[in-house]
Amino acid sequence: MAITRDSLLTLEAYSKIRKSSRADAIAHRRRRSVQLGEHLTLQFEDEATIRRQIQEMLHVEKIFDEEGIQGEIDAYAPLVPDGTNWKATLLIEYPDPHERKRELARLIGIEDRMFVEVEGHERVYAIADEDLDRENDEKTSSVHFVRFELPRAAREAVRAGAAVKLGCDHRNYPAHVGISPETLASLAGDLK
């Protein structure tokens, strides 16, 4: 379902269900998150996660005018997968600020070295930060938006139950992990 102004709750209606729906929203997001090594997390987005994000932004910023609401929809709606891809928020997490500064400098380009590999198919590398560039000559950002555009055969394999590996082949952060069956079942629902 497309996210439109009419499909969103009013500030009042959202305020009434915000706390009671929080646990379900967190559980849904957790099911769609994959930890890669100690410091990378990919949060795979879908219509539900993005809808919640938009509602939260409207709530927190007290946005109720048509233009403001449309601005939030326009900012976040491109993060909803369209049936041929997975879209995710890549978080690079180092709690210590000095270590974070050092590692973000070492990890320039990491967002372009993220991949998914469907069993029996070639790796699909991320298309990163289509909205704006998130790194400079000195460091990468701790947040990136990535899209994995899956060929038809790979999508069909995922929907048929093929295993999928998430990985990174950046020289300073080589890692890979199998995506859990529970997460994969949720992600398969994004594909046509």
Side-chain angles (χ1 to χ4, degrees), residues 112-183:
D112 297 316
R113 304 310 308 165
M114 302 298 302
F115 65 84
V116 292
E117 190 174 325
V118 177
E119 182 181 17
H121 297 268
E122 289 191 24
R123 286 182 177 175
V124 173
Y125 282 89
I127 300 164
D129 301 326
E130 294 176 286
D131 58 339
L132 61 107
D133 197 16
R134 297 179 188 277
E135 69 181 21
N136 57 40
D137 293 339
E138 297 169 17
K139 68 175 186 69
T140 192
S141 172
S142 58
V143 178
H144 295 276
F145 299 105
V146 296
R147 172 171 58 94
F148 299 98
E149 199 62 47
L150 299 167
R152 176 184 299 279
R155 295 193 310 266
E156 290 170 356
V158 170
R159 291 174 54 93
V164 179
K165 184 167 60 173
L166 171 70
C168 176
D169 63 11
H170 189 281
R171 62 183 159 69
N172 293 323
Y173 201 96
H176 68 272
V177 64
I179 297 177
S180 76
E182 182 184 30
T183 298

Coordinates of all heavy atoms in Angstrom, one line a residue, residues 112-183:
D112 N 29.5 0.9 -0.5 CA 29.5 0.4 -1.9 C 30.1 -1.1 -1.9 O 30.0 -1.7 -2.9 CB 30.4 1.2 -2.8 CG 29.8 2.6 -2.9 OD1 28.6 2.8 -3.1 OD2 30.6 3.6 -2.8
R113 N 30.5 -1.6 -0.8 CA 31.1 -2.9 -0.7 C 30.2 -3.9 0.1 O 30.5 -5.0 0.4 CB 32.5 -2.9 0.0 CG 33.5 -2.0 -0.6 CD 33.7 -2.1 -2.1 NE 33.9 -3.5 -2.5 CZ 33.8 -4.0 -3.8 NH1 33.4 -3.2 -4.7 NH2 34.0 -5.2 -4.0
M114 N 28.9 -3.4 0.4 CA 27.9 -4.3 1.0 C 27.3 -5.1 -0.1 O 27.1 -4.6 -1.2 CB 26.9 -3.4 1.7 CG 27.4 -2.5 2.7 SD 28.2 -3.3 4.1 CE 26.9 -4.4 4.7
F115 N 27.0 -6.4 0.2 CA 26.4 -7.3 -0.8 C 25.4 -8.2 -0.2 O 25.5 -8.5 1.0 CB 27.4 -8.0 -1.6 CG 28.2 -9.0 -0.8 CD1 27.8 -10.3 -0.6 CD2 29.5 -8.6 -0.3 CE1 28.5 -11.2 0.1 CE2 30.2 -9.5 0.4 CZ 29.8 -10.8 0.6
V116 N 24.5 -8.7 -1.0 CA 23.7 -9.9 -0.6 C 24.0 -11.0 -1.7 O 24.2 -10.7 -2.8 CB 22.2 -9.6 -0.5 CG1 21.8 -8.7 0.6 CG2 21.6 -9.1 -1.8
E117 N 24.0 -12.2 -1.2 CA 24.3 -13.3 -2.1 C 23.2 -14.4 -1.9 O 23.2 -15.0 -0.8 CB 25.7 -13.8 -1.8 CG 26.2 -14.8 -2.9 CD 27.6 -15.2 -2.6 OE1 28.4 -14.4 -2.2 OE2 28.0 -16.4 -2.9
V118 N 22.3 -14.5 -2.9 CA 21.3 -15.5 -2.8 C 22.0 -16.8 -3.3 O 22.7 -16.9 -4.3 CB 20.1 -15.2 -3.8 CG1 19.1 -16.3 -3.8 CG2 19.5 -13.8 -3.4
E119 N 21.7 -17.9 -2.5 CA 22.3 -19.2 -2.8 C 22.1 -19.6 -4.3 O 21.0 -19.5 -4.8 CB 21.5 -20.2 -1.9 CG 22.0 -21.7 -2.1 CD 21.2 -22.6 -1.2 OE1 20.1 -22.2 -0.7 OE2 21.7 -23.7 -1.0
G120 N 23.2 -19.9 -5.0 CA 23.2 -20.2 -6.4 C 23.2 -19.1 -7.3 O 23.1 -19.3 -8.6
H121 N 23.3 -17.8 -6.8 CA 23.3 -16.6 -7.7 C 24.5 -15.8 -7.4 O 25.1 -15.9 -6.3 CB 22.0 -15.9 -7.5 CG 20.8 -16.7 -7.9 ND1 20.3 -16.6 -9.1 CD2 20.0 -17.6 -7.2 CE1 19.2 -17.5 -9.2 NE2 19.1 -18.0 -8.0
E122 N 24.8 -14.9 -8.3 CA 25.9 -13.9 -8.1 C 25.6 -12.9 -7.0 O 24.4 -12.6 -6.8 CB 26.3 -13.2 -9.4 CG 26.9 -14.1 -10.4 CD 27.5 -13.4 -11.6 OE1 27.8 -12.2 -11.4 OE2 27.6 -14.0 -12.6
R123 N 26.6 -12.4 -6.4 CA 26.5 -11.3 -5.4 C 25.8 -10.1 -6.1 O 26.1 -9.8 -7.2 CB 27.8 -10.9 -4.9 CG 28.5 -11.8 -4.0 CD 29.8 -11.3 -3.5 NE 30.4 -12.2 -2.5 CZ 31.5 -12.1 -1.9 NH1 32.3 -11.1 -2.2 NH2 32.0 -13.0 -1.1
V124 N 25.0 -9.5 -5.3 CA 24.4 -8.2 -5.7 C 24.9 -7.1 -4.7 O 24.7 -7.2 -3.5 CB 22.8 -8.3 -5.6 CG1 22.2 -6.9 -5.9 CG2 22.3 -9.3 -6.6
Y125 N 25.7 -6.2 -5.3 CA 26.2 -5.1 -4.5 C 25.2 -4.0 -4.3 O 24.4 -3.7 -5.1 CB 27.5 -4.6 -5.1 CG 28.7 -5.5 -4.8 CD1 29.0 -6.5 -5.7 CD2 29.5 -5.4 -3.7 CE1 30.0 -7.4 -5.5 CE2 30.5 -6.2 -3.4 CZ 30.8 -7.2 -4.3 OH 31.8 -8.1 -4.0
A126 N 25.4 -3.3 -3.1 CA 24.5 -2.2 -2.8 C 24.7 -1.0 -3.7 O 25.8 -0.7 -4.1 CB 24.7 -1.8 -1.3
I127 N 23.6 -0.4 -4.0 CA 23.6 1.0 -4.6 C 23.3 1.9 -3.4 O 22.3 1.8 -2.8 CB 22.5 1.1 -5.7 CG1 22.7 0.0 -6.8 CG2 22.4 2.5 -6.2 CD1 21.5 -0.2 -7.7
A128 N 24.3 2.8 -3.2 CA 24.2 3.5 -1.9 C 23.9 5.0 -2.1 O 24.3 5.6 -3.1 CB 25.5 3.3 -1.2
D129 N 23.2 5.5 -1.1 CA 23.1 7.0 -0.9 C 22.6 7.7 -2.2 O 23.2 8.7 -2.6 CB 24.4 7.6 -0.4 CG 24.8 7.0 1.0 OD1 23.9 6.6 1.8 OD2 26.0 6.9 1.2
E130 N 21.5 7.2 -2.7 CA 21.0 7.8 -3.9 C 20.4 9.2 -3.7 O 20.3 10.0 -4.6 CB 19.9 6.9 -4.5 CG 20.5 5.6 -5.0 CD 19.5 4.6 -5.6 OE1 18.7 4.1 -4.7 OE2 19.4 4.5 -6.8
D131 N 20.1 9.5 -2.4 CA 19.5 10.8 -2.1 C 20.6 11.9 -2.0 O 20.4 13.0 -2.4 CB 18.7 10.8 -0.8 CG 19.5 10.3 0.4 OD1 20.5 9.6 0.2 OD2 19.0 10.5 1.5
L132 N 21.7 11.6 -1.4 CA 22.8 12.5 -1.2 C 24.1 11.8 -0.8 O 24.0 10.7 -0.3 CB 22.5 13.6 -0.2 CG 22.2 13.2 1.2 CD1 23.4 13.7 2.1 CD2 21.0 14.0 1.7
D133 N 25.2 12.4 -1.1 CA 26.5 11.8 -0.8 C 26.7 11.9 0.7 O 26.5 13.0 1.3 CB 27.6 12.5 -1.6 CG 28.9 11.7 -1.6 OD1 28.9 10.5 -1.3 OD2 30.0 12.3 -1.9
R134 N 27.1 10.8 1.3 CA 27.3 10.8 2.8 C 28.7 10.6 3.3 O 28.9 10.2 4.4 CB 26.4 9.8 3.4 CG 24.9 10.0 3.1 CD 24.0 9.0 3.7 NE 22.7 9.2 3.2 CZ 21.8 10.1 3.8 NH1 22.2 10.8 4.8 NH2 20.6 10.3 3.3
E135 N 29.7 10.9 2.4 CA 31.0 10.8 2.8 C 31.9 11.9 2.2 O 31.4 12.5 1.2 CB 31.6 9.4 2.5 CG 31.8 9.1 1.1 CD 32.4 7.7 0.8 OE1 32.3 6.9 1.7 OE2 33.0 7.6 -0.3
N136 N 33.1 12.1 2.7 CA 34.0 13.1 2.1 C 35.4 12.4 2.1 O 35.5 11.2 2.4 CB 33.9 14.4 2.9 CG 34.3 14.2 4.4 OD1 35.1 13.5 4.7 ND2 33.6 15.0 5.2
D137 N 36.4 13.2 1.8 CA 37.7 12.6 1.7 C 38.3 12.2 3.0 O 39.2 11.4 3.1 CB 38.7 13.7 1.1 CG 38.3 14.0 -0.4 OD1 37.7 13.1 -1.0 OD2 38.7 15.0 -0.9
E138 N 37.7 12.6 4.1 CA 38.2 12.3 5.5 C 37.5 11.2 6.2 O 38.1 10.5 7.0 CB 38.1 13.6 6.3 CG 39.0 14.7 5.8 CD 38.8 16.0 6.5 OE1 38.2 16.0 7.6 OE2 39.2 17.1 5.9
K139 N 36.2 11.0 5.9 CA 35.4 10.0 6.6 C 34.1 9.6 5.9 O 33.7 10.4 5.0 CB 35.1 10.4 8.0 CG 34.1 11.5 8.1 CD 33.7 11.8 9.5 CE 32.6 12.9 9.6 NZ 31.3 12.4 9.2
T140 N 33.6 8.5 6.2 CA 32.3 8.1 5.8 C 31.3 8.5 6.9 O 31.7 8.8 8.0 CB 32.2 6.6 5.4 OG1 31.0 6.4 4.7 CG2 32.3 5.7 6.7
S141 N 30.0 8.5 6.5 CA 29.0 8.7 7.5 C 28.7 7.5 8.3 O 29.0 6.4 7.9 CB 27.7 9.2 6.8 OG 26.6 9.3 7.6
S142 N 28.1 7.7 9.5 CA 27.7 6.5 10.3 C 26.4 5.9 9.9 O 25.9 4.9 10.3 CB 27.7 6.8 11.8 OG 26.9 7.9 12.0
V143 N 25.7 6.6 9.0 CA 24.4 6.2 8.4 C 24.4 6.3 6.9 O 24.7 7.3 6.4 CB 23.2 7.0 9.0 CG1 21.9 6.5 8.4 CG2 23.2 7.0 10.5
H144 N 24.0 5.2 6.3 CA 23.8 5.2 4.8 C 22.5 4.5 4.4 O 22.0 3.7 5.2 CB 25.0 4.4 4.1 CG 26.3 5.0 4.3 ND1 26.8 6.0 3.5 CD2 27.3 4.7 5.2 CE1 28.0 6.3 3.9 NE2 28.3 5.6 5.0
F145 N 22.0 4.8 3.3 CA 20.8 4.2 2.7 C 21.2 3.4 1.5 O 21.9 3.9 0.6 CB 19.7 5.2 2.4 CG 19.3 6.0 3.6 CD1 19.7 7.3 3.8 CD2 18.5 5.4 4.6 CE1 19.3 8.0 4.9 CE2 18.1 6.0 5.7 CZ 18.5 7.4 5.9
V146 N 20.9 2.1 1.5 CA 21.4 1.2 0.5 C 20.2 0.5 -0.2 O 19.2 0.2 0.5 CB 22.4 0.2 1.0 CG1 23.7 0.9 1.4 CG2 21.9 -0.7 2.1
R147 N 20.4 0.1 -1.4 CA 19.4 -0.6 -2.2 C 20.1 -1.8 -2.8 O 21.1 -1.6 -3.5 CB 18.7 0.3 -3.2 CG 17.8 -0.4 -4.2 CD 17.0 0.5 -5.1 NE 17.8 1.4 -5.8 CZ 18.2 1.2 -7.1 NH1 17.8 0.1 -7.7 NH2 18.9 2.1 -7.7
F148 N 19.5 -3.0 -2.7 CA 20.0 -4.2 -3.4 C 19.0 -4.6 -4.4 O 17.8 -5.0 -4.1 CB 20.1 -5.4 -2.4 CG 21.1 -5.1 -1.3 CD1 20.7 -4.7 0.0 CD2 22.5 -5.2 -1.5 CE1 21.6 -4.4 1.0 CE2 23.4 -5.0 -0.5 CZ 22.9 -4.6 0.8
E149 N 19.3 -4.4 -5.7 CA 18.4 -4.6 -6.8 C 18.6 -6.1 -7.3 O 19.7 -6.4 -7.8 CB 18.7 -3.6 -8.0 CG 17.6 -3.5 -9.0 CD 16.4 -2.9 -8.4 OE1 16.4 -1.9 -7.7 OE2 15.3 -3.5 -8.7
L150 N 17.6 -6.9 -7.0 CA 17.8 -8.4 -7.2 C 17.2 -8.8 -8.6 O 16.1 -8.4 -8.9 CB 17.0 -9.1 -6.1 CG 17.6 -8.9 -4.7 CD1 16.6 -9.4 -3.7 CD2 19.0 -9.5 -4.5
P151 N 18.0 -9.5 -9.4 CA 17.5 -10.0 -10.6 C 16.3 -11.0 -10.4 O 16.2 -11.6 -9.3 CB 18.6 -10.8 -11.2 CG 19.8 -10.4 -10.5 CD 19.4 -9.9 -9.1
R152 N 15.4 -11.1 -11.4 CA 14.2 -12.0 -11.3 C 14.5 -13.4 -10.7 O 13.9 -13.8 -9.8 CB 13.5 -12.1 -12.6 CG 12.3 -13.0 -12.5 CD 11.6 -13.2 -13.9 NE 11.1 -12.0 -14.5 CZ 10.0 -11.4 -14.1 NH1 9.2 -11.9 -13.2 NH2 9.6 -10.3 -14.7
A153 N 15.5 -14.0 -11.3 CA 15.9 -15.4 -10.8 C 16.2 -15.4 -9.3 O 15.8 -16.4 -8.6 CB 17.0 -16.0 -11.7
A154 N 17.0 -14.4 -8.9 CA 17.3 -14.4 -7.5 C 16.1 -14.1 -6.6 O 16.0 -14.7 -5.5 CB 18.4 -13.3 -7.2
R155 N 15.2 -13.2 -7.1 CA 14.0 -13.0 -6.3 C 13.1 -14.3 -6.2 O 12.6 -14.6 -5.1 CB 13.2 -11.9 -7.0 CG 13.8 -10.5 -7.0 CD 12.9 -9.4 -7.4 NE 12.1 -9.6 -8.6 CZ 12.5 -9.1 -9.8 NH1 13.6 -8.5 -10.0 NH2 11.7 -9.3 -10.8
E156 N 13.0 -15.0 -7.3 CA 12.3 -16.2 -7.3 C 12.9 -17.2 -6.3 O 12.2 -18.0 -5.6 CB 12.1 -16.8 -8.7 CG 11.2 -15.9 -9.6 CD 11.3 -16.3 -11.1 OE1 12.0 -17.2 -11.4 OE2 10.5 -15.7 -11.8
A157 N 14.2 -17.3 -6.3 CA 14.9 -18.2 -5.4 C 14.6 -17.9 -4.0 O 14.4 -18.8 -3.2 CB 16.4 -18.2 -5.7
V158 N 14.7 -16.6 -3.6 CA 14.4 -16.2 -2.3 C 13.0 -16.6 -1.9 O 12.8 -17.1 -0.8 CB 14.6 -14.7 -2.1 CG1 14.1 -14.2 -0.7 CG2 16.1 -14.3 -2.2
R159 N 12.1 -16.3 -2.8 CA 10.7 -16.6 -2.5 C 10.4 -18.1 -2.4 O 9.5 -18.6 -1.7 CB 9.7 -16.0 -3.5 CG 9.7 -14.5 -3.4 CD 8.9 -13.8 -4.5 NE 7.6 -14.3 -4.6 CZ 6.5 -13.8 -4.0 NH1 6.6 -12.7 -3.3 NH2 5.3 -14.3 -4.2
A160 N 11.3 -18.9 -3.0 CA 11.2 -20.4 -3.0 C 12.0 -21.0 -1.8 O 12.0 -22.2 -1.5 CB 11.7 -21.0 -4.3
G161 N 12.6 -20.1 -1.0 CA 13.3 -20.5 0.2 C 14.8 -20.6 0.2 O 15.4 -21.2 1.1
A162 N 15.4 -20.1 -0.8 CA 16.9 -20.1 -0.9 C 17.5 -19.4 0.3 O 17.0 -18.4 0.8 CB 17.4 -19.5 -2.2
A163 N 18.7 -19.9 0.7 CA 19.5 -19.2 1.7 C 20.1 -17.9 1.1 O 20.3 -17.8 -0.1 CB 20.6 -20.1 2.3
V164 N 20.3 -16.9 2.0 CA 20.9 -15.6 1.6 C 21.9 -15.2 2.6 O 21.7 -15.3 3.8 CB 19.8 -14.5 1.4 CG1 20.4 -13.2 1.0 CG2 18.7 -14.9 0.5
K165 N 23.0 -14.8 2.0 CA 24.1 -14.3 2.9 C 24.2 -12.7 2.7 O 24.0 -12.2 1.6 CB 25.4 -14.9 2.4 CG 26.6 -14.6 3.2 CD 27.8 -15.5 2.8 CE 28.2 -15.5 1.4 NZ 29.4 -16.3 1.1
L166 N 24.4 -12.0 3.8 CA 24.7 -10.6 3.8 C 26.2 -10.4 4.0 O 26.7 -11.1 4.9 CB 23.9 -9.9 4.8 CG 24.2 -8.4 5.0 CD1 23.8 -7.6 3.9 CD2 23.6 -7.9 6.3
G167 N 26.8 -9.6 3.3 CA 28.3 -9.4 3.5 C 28.8 -8.1 3.1 O 28.1 -7.2 2.6
C168 N 30.1 -8.0 3.4 CA 30.9 -6.8 3.1 C 32.3 -7.2 2.8 O 32.9 -8.0 3.5 CB 30.9 -5.9 4.4 SG 31.9 -4.4 4.2
D169 N 32.8 -6.7 1.6 CA 34.1 -7.1 1.3 C 35.1 -5.8 1.3 O 36.1 -5.8 0.5 CB 34.2 -7.9 0.0 CG 33.7 -7.1 -1.2 OD1 33.5 -5.9 -1.2 OD2 33.5 -7.8 -2.3
H170 N 34.7 -4.8 2.1 CA 35.6 -3.7 2.3 C 36.9 -4.2 2.9 O 36.9 -5.0 3.8 CB 35.0 -2.6 3.1 CG 35.7 -1.3 3.2 ND1 36.8 -1.2 4.0 CD2 35.5 -0.2 2.6 CE1 37.2 0.1 3.9 NE2 36.5 0.7 3.1
R171 N 38.1 -3.7 2.5 CA 39.3 -4.3 3.0 C 39.5 -4.1 4.5 O 40.2 -4.9 5.1 CB 40.5 -3.7 2.2 CG 40.7 -2.2 2.3 CD 41.9 -1.7 1.5 NE 41.8 -0.3 1.2 CZ 42.0 0.7 2.0 NH1 42.2 0.5 3.3 NH2 42.0 2.0 1.6
N172 N 38.9 -3.1 5.1 CA 39.0 -2.9 6.5 C 37.8 -3.4 7.3 O 37.7 -3.2 8.5 CB 39.2 -1.4 6.8 CG 40.5 -0.9 6.3 OD1 41.5 -1.6 6.4 ND2 40.5 0.3 5.8
Y173 N 36.9 -4.1 6.6 CA 35.8 -4.7 7.4 C 35.2 -5.9 6.6 O 34.0 -5.9 6.2 CB 34.6 -3.7 7.6 CG 33.7 -4.1 8.7 CD1 33.9 -3.5 10.0 CD2 32.6 -4.9 8.5 CE1 33.0 -3.9 11.0 CE2 31.8 -5.3 9.6 CZ 32.0 -4.7 10.8 OH 31.1 -5.1 11.9
P174 N 36.0 -7.0 6.4 CA 35.5 -8.1 5.7 C 34.6 -9.0 6.6 O 35.1 -9.3 7.7 CB 36.8 -8.9 5.3 CG 37.8 -8.5 6.3 CD 37.5 -7.1 6.7
A175 N 33.4 -9.2 6.2 CA 32.5 -10.0 7.1 C 31.3 -10.5 6.2 O 31.0 -9.9 5.2 CB 31.9 -9.1 8.2
H176 N 30.8 -11.6 6.7 CA 29.5 -12.1 6.1 C 28.8 -12.9 7.1 O 29.3 -13.4 8.1 CB 29.8 -12.9 4.8 CG 30.5 -14.2 5.0 ND1 31.8 -14.3 5.0 CD2 30.0 -15.4 5.2 CE1 32.2 -15.5 5.3 NE2 31.0 -16.3 5.4
V177 N 27.5 -13.0 6.9 CA 26.6 -13.7 7.8 C 25.4 -14.2 7.0 O 24.9 -13.6 6.1 CB 26.2 -12.8 9.0 CG1 25.3 -11.6 8.5 CG2 25.4 -13.6 10.1
G178 N 24.9 -15.4 7.4 CA 23.7 -15.9 6.8 C 22.5 -15.2 7.4 O 22.5 -14.9 8.6
I179 N 21.6 -14.8 6.6 CA 20.4 -14.1 7.1 C 19.5 -15.2 7.7 O 19.2 -16.2 7.1 CB 19.6 -13.3 6.0 CG1 20.6 -12.2 5.5 CG2 18.3 -12.7 6.5 CD1 20.0 -11.4 4.3
S180 N 19.0 -14.9 8.9 CA 18.2 -15.9 9.6 C 16.9 -16.2 8.9 O 16.4 -15.4 8.2 CB 17.8 -15.4 11.0 OG 16.8 -14.4 11.0
P181 N 16.4 -17.4 9.0 CA 15.1 -17.8 8.4 C 14.0 -16.9 8.7 O 13.2 -16.5 7.8 CB 14.8 -19.2 8.9 CG 16.2 -19.8 9.2 CD 17.0 -18.6 9.7
E182 N 13.9 -16.4 9.9 CA 12.8 -15.5 10.3 C 12.9 -14.2 9.6 O 11.9 -13.7 9.1 CB 12.8 -15.3 11.9 CG 11.7 -14.4 12.3 CD 11.8 -14.0 13.8 OE1 12.9 -14.0 14.4 OE2 10.7 -13.8 14.4
T183 N 14.1 -13.6 9.5 CA 14.3 -12.4 8.8 C 14.1 -12.6 7.3 O 13.4 -11.7 6.7 CB 15.8 -11.8 9.1 OG1 15.9 -11.6 10.5 CG2 16.0 -10.6 8.3

